[in-house]
Amino acid sequence: MPSRNKRILITGGAGFIGTHLVNALSSRKWEVVVLDALIKQVHRSGRWNPPPHVKFIKGDVCNKSRVRESLEGVNYIVHLAAETGVGQSAYEISRYVKTNELGTAVLLEEASRVGDTLAGVVIASSRAIYGEGRYRCGTCGFFYPSLRKADKLIKGIWEPQCPTCQRLASPLSSVEEQTPNPVSVYGITKHNQEELLRQFSESFSIPAIALRFQNVYGPGQSLTNPYTGILALFSTRLLSGNPIYIYEDGNERRDFIYVEDTVQSIVLALKKGFSKIYEVYNVGSGIGTSVEDIARLLLRIMKREVPVIIAGKYRVGDIRHAWADITKIQRDFDFKPRYPIERGLRIFAQWARKQPLPIDRYKKTEAELINKGLLLESRETSTD
Ligand SMILES: NC(=O)c1ccc[n+]([C@@H]2O[C@H](COP(=O)([O-])OP(=O)(O)OC[C@H]3O[C@@H](n4cnc5c(N)ncnc54)[C@H](O)[C@@H]3O)[C@@H](O)[C@H]2O)c1
Ligand SMILES: [Zn+2]
């Protein structure tokens, strides 16, 4: 970490992860510049109050002159600005490609003009680049499934099967070396962000790091954005006294990482990461937790009782399991997740209870998905 007064640009710094990062860096003697468009889906009020000493530029990452202005004298960039709803990206394709890909392109193009003062770039990538992830069949070995097919899902066959012998296989954690295989528009844009950054880093010899975040949760995450954040969605449902609906059979697994642990990974990347030209790292807890378990844990922690309904509905394009192998970031950066799920959920729950109760948009979003043919029901497992 530079000793003092290094200037850092954080795009998307007014968002969920961004605000935690800005706070962490403000207390470490950085000159922080935030570029953020305050998009309506995330910032309903259209306002953001930056902490003291933070320079805030309201602007779009696709806007060259705003980006140029925000890059003045900058030594480091953390690029977080993005459209982040995996499901929504299926039908708002141009919006996702524009912000995530063109936005990154504009940022890097302008960054290439900064010159020698630019010492490193970090971008927020995602587990979504792995798609269905990595499996092992006891007989045939490793395989990397493509998107699960409609004829299986309609029958309630949720687990990807071995493509050679059709037997059930074991899901494994994702490792950085496996070939990216995104199965969503969002995942494709995140993979392309990585590729643009790698190309930039190699062309201009500027060290760069892509951090592939798993499911980040914690205080400050949007409770009103119905397109992101499973825990925000569940907490809004239960605080409104409404049942929680879980897709598939509830055994699908995700890797939940507390926001301060995510911030730790970014700070470590800034501190230790720029000895090589381009590197990618997984950032997660390293543990796969089933969606049903996380819902029940949240109910217990929030001391609420609402029905948990597992009705065999499924979203087209959803992946089955995802969790990270975090050996590489542990080895290179000494990264240590400090918030086991119960601890992180308690802090999240305490915070969520104190927020104004958001309008529960679950049913509206569900209707939108049904309308577009993206939320279906398995014939075999339905209990409705
Ligand atoms: N939260 C997660 O679980 C998660 C998981 C994997 C990856 N990520 C990645 O981490 C980053 C931050 O995610 P987050 O959860 O804080 O999201 P967020 O939506 O809370 O924050 C994103 C910020 O970017 C801003 N933004 C959006 N479009 C913009 C544009 N065109 N120009 C300028 N600013 C724009 C938004 O106003 C918002 O403040 C994103 O790149 C996301 O893809 C997040
Ligand atoms: Zn097999």
Side-chain angles (χ1 to χ4, degrees):
M1 178 98 55
S3 53
R4 63 182 57 228
N5 290 341
K6 289 288 178 185
R7 186 176 270 242
I8 184 163
L9 168 64
I10 304 173
T11 72
F16 166 42
I17 299 170
T19 45
H20 286 268
L21 177 66
V22 167
N23 287 336
L25 293 185
S26 304
S27 57
R28 283 186 168 88
K29 297 200 167 30
W30 289 77
E31 279 178 31
V32 178
V33 181
V34 166
L35 173 71
D36 197 300
L38 303 183
I39 64 166
K40 270 272 144 39
Q41 192 164 301
V42 181
H43 304 270
R44 295 219 165 242
S45 71
R47 284 190 305 276
W48 182 62
N49 292 325
H53 314 301
V54 169
K55 180 175 175 186
F56 174 46
I57 297 173
K58 185 176 175 195
D60 196 310
V61 273
C62 299
N63 180 323
K64 279 193 173 194
S65 57
R66 276 277 181 273
V67 170
R68 195 169 303 164
E69 181 191 344
S70 63
L71 279 168
E72 246 166 59
V74 153
N75 308 105
Y76 295 90
I77 300 170
V78 177
H79 181 36
L80 302 175
E83 296 282 1
T84 64
V86 178
Q88 189 182 37
S89 73
Y91 50 94
E92 300 230 10
I93 304 170
S94 57
R95 174 173 157 192
Y96 275 72
V97 169
K98 179 165 182 258
T99 292
N100 297 2
E101 297 191 27
L102 181 63
T104 304
V106 169
L107 178 69
L108 295 178
E109 199 171 300
E110 291 304 318
S112 71
R113 299 183 219 276
V114 168
D116 287 350
T117 54
L118 185 60
V121 183
V122 177
I123 64 160
S125 184
S126 166
R127 63 155 173 97
I129 67 139
Y130 293 120
E132 281 290 1
R134 189 167 65 115
Y135 282 71
R136 188 174 48 222
C137 167
T139 317
C140 315
F142 290 105
F143 70 99
Y144 303 88
S146 46
L147 195 62
R148 292 170 296 164
K149 300 276 182 292
D151 62 327
K152 301 281 189 220
L153 296 173
I154 200 83
K155 292 187 194 143
I157 301 172
W158 308 119
E159 300 290 343
Q161 293 161 300
C162 171
T164 312
C165 70
Q166 310 304 319
R167 286 203 195 96
L168 270 186
S170 313
L172 300 169
S173 58
S174 302
V175 286
E176 287 88 348
E177 305 81 61
Q178 76 193 60
T179 310
N181 183 23
V183 293
S184 63
V185 170
Y186 171 73
I188 292 169
T189 66
K190 284 280 149 186
H191 182 229
N192 286 340
Q193 281 191 330
E194 284 193 3
E195 288 298 286
L196 291 170
L197 183 66
R198 185 179 55 75
Q199 180 64 33
F200 167 87
S201 173
E202 287 169 0
S203 301
F204 296 100
S205 299
I206 295 173
I209 290 175
L211 297 174
R212 296 173 174 166
F213 299 151
Q214 296 280 324
N215 285 45
V216 186
Y217 73 96
Q221 81 181 91
S222 176
L223 298 174
T224 54
N225 182 350
Y227 302 100
T228 60
I230 189 171
L231 283 166
L233 202 89
F234 288 173
S235 85
T236 301
R237 292 292 290 170
L238 69 88
L239 289 172
S240 314
N242 290 324
I244 291 178
Y245 291 99
I246 294 184
Y247 296 139
E248 305 191 7
D249 61 356
N251 289 325
E252 58 276 22
R253 278 181 260 173
R254 295 292 182 272
D255 182 338
F256 297 94
I257 173 138
Y258 188 67
V259 64
E260 290 302 337
D261 283 333
T262 312
V263 165
Q264 184 203 149
S265 76
I266 303 172
V267 172
L268 285 171
L270 292 167
K271 193 171 162 184
K272 302 186 174 179
F274 295 134
S275 54
K276 298 184 199 137
I277 279 304
Y278 177 73
E279 283 290 333
V280 297
Y281 289 95
N282 283 337
V283 179
S285 69
I287 299 166
T289 305
S290 84
V291 172
E292 181 178 358
D293 283 351
I294 203 86
R296 297 206 184 276
L297 188 56
L298 189 66
L299 280 170
R300 184 155 62 73
I301 284 173
M302 286 200 154
K303 299 191 176 65
R304 296 285 173 128
E305 288 201 13
V306 299
V308 173
I309 299 177
I310 303 177
K313 290 185 180 165
Y314 62 94
R315 286 191 309 189
V316 175
D318 261 358
I319 54 143
R320 179 65 179 165
H321 303 295
W323 73 95
D325 181 309
I326 55 171
T327 312
K328 185 177 176 189
I329 192 164
Q330 286 177 314
R331 184 194 64 212
D332 286 6
F333 297 168
D334 200 19
F335 170 74
K336 291 189 186 79
R338 296 196 184 105
Y339 294 81
I341 189 74
E342 282 228 25
R343 180 180 178 206
L345 269 190
R346 273 180 210 291
I347 307 171
F348 168 73
Q350 234 170 30
W351 168 81
R353 265 199 223 99
K354 288 194 206 124
Q355 305 310 304
L357 190 61
I359 301 167
D360 186 351
R361 292 187 171 80
Y362 176 79
K363 282 285 166 194
K364 187 170 165 268
T365 315
E366 193 183 73
E368 199 174 305
L369 287 175
I370 291 170
N371 205 9
K372 293 181 192 306
L374 294 173
L375 183 67
L376 302 169
E377 202 164 333
S378 119
R379 287 194 210 113
E380 257 55 41
T381 57
S382 170
T383 54
D384 268 359

